[in-house]
Amino acid sequence: AQTVTQSQPEMSVQEAETVTLSCTYDTSESNYYLFWYKQPPSRQMILVIRQEAYKQQNATENRFSVNFQKAAKSFSLKISDSQLGDTAMYFCAFMKSANFGNEKLTFGTGTRLTIIP
Amino acid sequence: DTAVSQTPKYLVTQMGNDKSIKCEQNLGHDTMYWYKQDSKKFLKIMFSYNNKELIINETVPNRFSPKSPDKAHLNLHINSLELGDSAVYFCASSEPGLAGVEETQYFGPGTRLLVL
């Protein structure tokens, strides 16, 4: 079974600064996907970024980037130039590769990020 | 033009009642899911369906019965509601990517269920 660990329950950072959220996972699978989802106070689950394990290049989406270390089973999220709208719970999630709905997202416990004006 | 929608958004009910939550997606995806988020914000899979066929049933009590009338809809019916069922329930959907592998899951807005 897969496990996902987020060791930082809460973080806060000043607006415009850079912040890094940590995530580690445990799996015996070689093919899988990793995701970061954001849940603002509105409760909506919003995909921030995804990474395919077979890709060595770290994924980036505008101000969001990841540091994917496959051997260390680490998948951290870096938010640059943080904005007030980045205030949210952030969940790291793992999904192994399979066919046609056989797989699920396994979530970490989340990190509550607060951006301070 | 909401991608994944759920109704209702809020549901307050008495213990012992039966209630349903509806989910619809207009993304053309083949696979749909139900997740439960507890009071500590922990998210866990309950069910998945692929093209109306049950794929994952993650040791959920049989008071919970998903129903998929077509691949765009996955409803969740809950019998004999208990206090511990209070949670936020999320529907999600995804489509096959390369070689049929399920990829990114897109979530609905969630339904907050409160059992009194």
Side-chain angles (χ1 to χ4, degrees), chain B residues 17-23 33-34 46-49 52 54 56-69 73-81 85 89 113:
Chain B
N17 284 350
D18 303 338
K19 289 293 178 185
S20 292
I21 306 171
K22 295 186 176 181
C23 178
Y33 309 80
W34 279 108
M46 299 175 70
F47 302 102
S48 79
Y49 268 72
K52 303 192 294 177
L54 178 66
I56 295 174
N57 183 341
E58 194 81 356
T59 60
V60 177
N62 58 15
R63 296 183 297 103
F64 291 79
S65 52
K67 287 186 170 54
S68 182
H73 295 84
L74 180 61
N75 303 324
L76 184 64
H77 188 76
I78 315 170
N79 290 326
S80 303
L81 278 155
D85 298 333
Y89 292 85
L113 171 65

Side-chain angles (χ1 to χ4, degrees), chain A residues 26-114:
Chain A
D26 189 26
T27 185
S28 57
E29 302 290 331
S30 55
N31 296 319
Y32 51 88
Y33 297 83
L34 293 162
F35 304 85
W36 280 98
Y37 282 88
K38 165 185 175 180
Q39 187 177 38
S42 67
R43 201 175 64 221
Q44 177 77 47
M45 289 291 289
I46 302 166
L47 176 69
V48 175
I49 201 165
R50 55 171 273 165
Q51 174 81 41
E52 293 90 339
Y54 65 85
K55 290 187 178 178
Q56 292 188 337
Q57 186 172 10
N58 288 326
T60 62
E61 287 286 343
N62 300 314
R63 299 182 295 107
F64 298 88
S65 61
V66 298
N67 184 1
F68 174 49
Q69 302 288 328
K70 191 172 183 179
K73 296 180 181 172
S74 170
F75 183 61
S76 61
L77 174 70
K78 185 171 87 171
I79 306 174
S80 303
D81 185 27
S82 55
Q83 300 175 359
L84 297 180
D86 296 333
T87 293
M89 281 285 285
Y90 286 81
F91 292 96
C92 179
F94 171 99
M95 184 177 73
K96 65 179 181 179
S97 294
N99 291 326
F100 302 108
N102 285 336
E103 292 315 316
K104 61 189 179 186
L105 286 167
T106 298
F107 287 92
T109 50
T111 296
R112 185 179 301 278
L113 176 65
T114 302

